Amino acid sequence: MHTRIGTFDAPPDRLNDLIALFEERIFEEFAQLEGFLGYQAFVDREKGRFVGISFWNTSSALEASGETARQARREAASLGAIPVGEPQLMEQAFEARLL
């Protein structure tokens, strides 16, 4: 599995708008792309930080989603979100869960 991890700092009062953007729009756009497996988002409401992680079945699927991800960053910026560094593109090393 491959992931893109994007981190944003945003005004705390705009976090709900940022969450809605990714949950309602960006997820749907990613879902139209081949190889998309899912999306998770995490927030620190006090600090105004949003971390989104998209999951892809291959590195080529991850790469092919790049323009959609860039558009998401532009739309997030229109809500006052500032990207923290560049998105991280990573391959899963392992997964462990307690059920």
Side-chain angles (χ1 to χ4, degrees):
M1 183 173 2
H2 297 263
T3 65
R4 176 183 291 105
I5 303 169
T7 303
F8 299 89
D9 284 338
D13 64 336
R14 297 304 306 263
L15 277 177
N16 286 337
D17 296 330
L18 191 60
I19 292 166
L21 168 67
F22 279 87
E23 184 175 23
E24 297 167 9
R25 280 221 338 89
I26 304 306
F27 172 81
E28 293 300 325
E29 290 183 27
F30 280 152
Q32 301 302 312
L33 301 176
E34 187 173 333
F36 179 65
L37 299 173
Y39 195 91
Q40 292 183 352
F42 302 88
V43 295
D44 180 329
R45 291 187 182 278
E46 289 182 17
K47 293 181 180 176
R49 179 153 289 184
F50 175 97
V51 177
I53 307 169
S54 60
F55 298 91
W56 304 87
N57 65 357
T58 65
S59 61
S60 60
L62 172 64
E63 290 174 22
S65 69
E67 182 52 40
T68 302
R70 285 185 288 279
Q71 178 61 32
R73 288 169 59 94
R74 289 189 291 270
E75 291 186 38
S78 74
L79 296 174
I82 300 168
V84 177
E86 291 295 317
Q88 297 178 52
L89 307 180
M90 305 183 90
E91 179 181 358
Q92 182 179 26
F94 74 93
E95 180 176 352
R97 294 180 185 215
L98 295 176
L99 299 177

